[in-house]
Amino acid sequence: MTDALPEIRLEDTGSKGRYFIRSAAGDEAEMTFSKAGEHLIIIDHTEVPEAFRRQGAGLRLVTRAVEDMRAAGKKIIPLCPFANAQFRKHAEWADVLKG
């Protein structure tokens, strides 16, 4: 079912940003972050509405951030409980985790 989800989009406002998925009906799943300098982001919130539940939307959002930060040579502090739990489940993300 994850293939049916709309594409993940990035909104960057300078010091903050968010990755989000918007359904045709206007529902949004989002993961927000704050920038802490040039080489670090802090994932501070993930929200998945009922319309996206049990489809892997939250994991897709965190995975996209990991991929983007890895490509940019940046690190992540996952303050959000959901993102933090995903980092604990995915040892292969250790290279982008700020220790």
Side-chain angles (χ1 to χ4, degrees), residues 6 8 18 32 34 39 79 81 91 97:
I8 296 173
R18 71 182 187 130
T32 61
S34 298
H39 304 288
L79 283 186
L97 181 62

Side-chain angles (χ1 to χ4, degrees), residues 36-98:
E38 289 294 308
H39 304 288
L40 183 65
I41 69 162
I42 299 167
I43 296 176
D44 46 35
H45 180 70
T46 304
E47 186 167 337
V48 177
E50 193 58 41
F52 286 114
R53 296 276 160 101
R54 294 171 294 284
Q55 298 178 52
L59 176 58
R60 283 187 63 215
L61 292 167
V62 178
T63 301
R64 170 68 186 275
V66 167
E67 292 167 352
D68 287 358
M69 295 310 112
R70 182 178 283 141
K74 297 181 180 184
K75 299 283 185 182
I76 297 172
I77 296 174
L79 283 186
C80 161
F82 176 80
N84 194 304
Q86 293 306 314
F87 267 87
R88 287 195 304 271
K89 292 178 184 175
H90 294 273
E92 70 274 18
W93 295 351
D95 61 311
V96 296
L97 181 62
K98 174 72 173 162

